[in-house]
Amino acid sequence: METVYTVAQLRETRGALLRLRWSGLGHRPTVGLVATMGALHAGHSSLLARMAGECDVRLASIFVNPRQFGSADDLATYPRTLEADLAMCAAEGVDLVFVPEAGDLYPGGFDTTVCGGQLASRWEGAARPGHFDGVLTVIAKLLNICGPDRAYFGEKDFQQLRLVERMSFDLEFQSDIVACPIVREGDGLALSSRNRLLTAAQRQFAGHIHRALHEVADAFAAGERDAQVLVARGGRVLEGWTADGLSVDYFAVVDPATLEPRELAEDGDRAIIALRLGETRLIDNMALGSV
Ligand code: AMP
């Protein structure tokens, strides 16, 4: 595995790898990309493993993208574990890791932003103004720099996944966007780089997020369709924890394609939730019904 730090190095090494694989395989190799912000965990490794099973040349990027952070504090406290991240990439069969500096991706004079439309306006977009502009801009750059045939994204960040799919289609990117299921801890907490910022008490509570989503899915399976009633059922699981620094940003049942809120839930809809535990913000989601 090779690690490169600039766009120029990435291009050169990617080209050399492609030529090498091409002569070995006798056909054009397929290129995969997993874009991450590092602090890698089993959620990331599931994406890397899927890429390894499907692509001949496997690229990963590790970049804590300053443009998608609202506050300098959140950016400063974001966990960074580069050495362990590189070891995980090597173990998962990655060929080339791209670890750019912010100044290389956004040199002086950089003046372009990719913005989502309707899809970006709700939920995370409303709670974190500018967040998706930063996400889409960096993903657009990474897709152009790395030129993957397949780029892998987790359903953990469901709205981000939908936005990247939309951007890729609308702007005619050549990469297939591959959706990967959420990987969870034993108690159901969705793996996240931010989980390591939780105190022991917050971590213990955090398992309730999954239970609350499950409550919504169970009520849906039992025949309830009123979205307000469904969310209220889930909300009861979280009651009583506000004293411990819990505040819910949103908890809703949405159309899985448009992310518009539902009044009456349908098969395949998503229950989505975002909450704060002290300083740490967590998001999760779950499909309803037989999907
Ligand atoms: P991040 O490093 O948080 O930007 O995440 C990089 C990619 O990993 C994104 O596509 C995420 O959706 C995905 N990801 C993060 N956590 C999980 C998880 N628990 N399960 C599946 N995918 C995940």
Side-chain angles (χ1 to χ4, degrees), residues 35-37 41 43-44 47 78 153-154 156-157 160 181-183 191:
T36 80
M37 296 206 299
H41 49 64
H44 297 109
L47 271 57
Y78 198 84
F153 291 86
K156 158 78 170 45
D157 301 282
Q160 168 178 293
I182 301 173
V183 177
L191 287 168

Side-chain angles (χ1 to χ4, degrees), residues 19-174:
R19 284 189 293 277
L20 192 71
R21 287 288 149 79
W22 198 323
S23 62
L25 288 165
H27 59 79
R28 183 190 169 282
T30 52
V31 179
L33 171 67
V34 174
T36 80
M37 296 206 299
L40 302 186
H41 49 64
H44 297 109
S45 62
S46 74
L47 271 57
L48 296 171
R50 173 110 181 246
M51 170 170 71
E54 298 179 351
C55 300
D56 303 314
V57 173
R58 301 129 188 189
L59 312 184
S61 63
I62 298 175
F63 178 58
V64 184
N65 175 31
R67 288 181 173 248
Q68 70 188 70
F69 285 82
S71 90
D73 290 353
D74 192 23
L75 175 63
T77 56
Y78 198 84
R80 288 162 170 86
T81 59
L82 184 59
E83 219 170 296
D85 293 349
L86 295 177
M88 179 182 282
C89 287
E92 295 295 349
V94 173
D95 297 300
L96 180 55
V97 188
F98 182 37
V99 190
E101 292 286 332
D104 197 46
L105 283 193
Y106 308 121
F110 186 90
D111 192 28
T112 300
T113 302
V114 182
C115 301
Q118 283 292 324
L119 257 179
S121 64
R122 290 186 187 280
W123 317 121
E124 290 306 285
R128 306 177 66 189
H131 170 65
F132 284 133
D133 294 356
V135 170
L136 292 179
T137 303
V138 82
I139 296 296
K141 283 207 69 150
L142 291 170
L143 291 175
N144 278 333
I145 295 164
C146 298
D149 299 292
R150 299 166 73 78
Y152 296 80
F153 291 86
E155 290 191 339
K156 158 78 170 45
D157 301 282
F158 194 73
Q159 190 175 9
Q160 168 178 293
L161 167 67
R162 286 284 175 265
L163 275 161
V164 171
E165 287 171 342
R166 188 78 241 174
M167 172 187 76
S168 179
F169 184 80
D170 287 347
L171 300 185
E172 315 264 358
F173 280 86
Q174 297 300 300

Side-chain angles (χ1 to χ4, degrees), residues 154-285:
E155 290 191 339
K156 158 78 170 45
D157 301 282
F158 194 73
Q159 190 175 9
Q160 168 178 293
L161 167 67
R162 286 284 175 265
L163 275 161
V164 171
E165 287 171 342
R166 188 78 241 174
M167 172 187 76
S168 179
F169 184 80
D170 287 347
L171 300 185
E172 315 264 358
F173 280 86
Q174 297 300 300
S175 314
D176 286 338
I177 305 301
V178 183
C180 302
I182 301 173
V183 177
R184 300 179 179 282
E185 302 271 14
D187 69 348
L189 176 64
L191 287 168
S192 164
S193 305
R194 288 194 166 87
N195 291 352
R196 63 186 86 195
L197 302 174
L198 298 172
T199 64
Q202 289 169 340
R203 171 62 192 85
Q204 204 194 346
F205 168 78
H208 285 73
I209 302 168
H210 180 245
R211 259 164 257 153
L213 288 168
H214 235 302
E215 184 70 21
V216 176
D218 289 349
F220 180 86
E224 182 58 62
R225 290 294 178 268
D226 185 316
Q228 274 192 349
V229 174
L230 286 167
V231 167
R233 287 277 297 272
R236 255 181 258 152
V237 176
L238 305 174
E239 268 169 22
W241 292 86
T242 41
D244 296 272
L246 168 74
S247 69
V248 177
D249 274 1
Y250 58 77
F251 192 2
V253 173
V254 301
D255 179 315
T258 64
L259 302 188
E260 297 286 329
R262 291 282 201 205
E263 282 178 24
L264 290 179
E266 294 179 18
D267 205 44
D269 280 356
R270 285 265 157 177
I272 59 170
I273 189 166
L275 52 75
R276 278 171 210 281
L277 274 172
E279 297 295 305
T280 307
R281 192 160 180 286
L282 301 176
I283 60 173
D284 200 350
N285 67 85

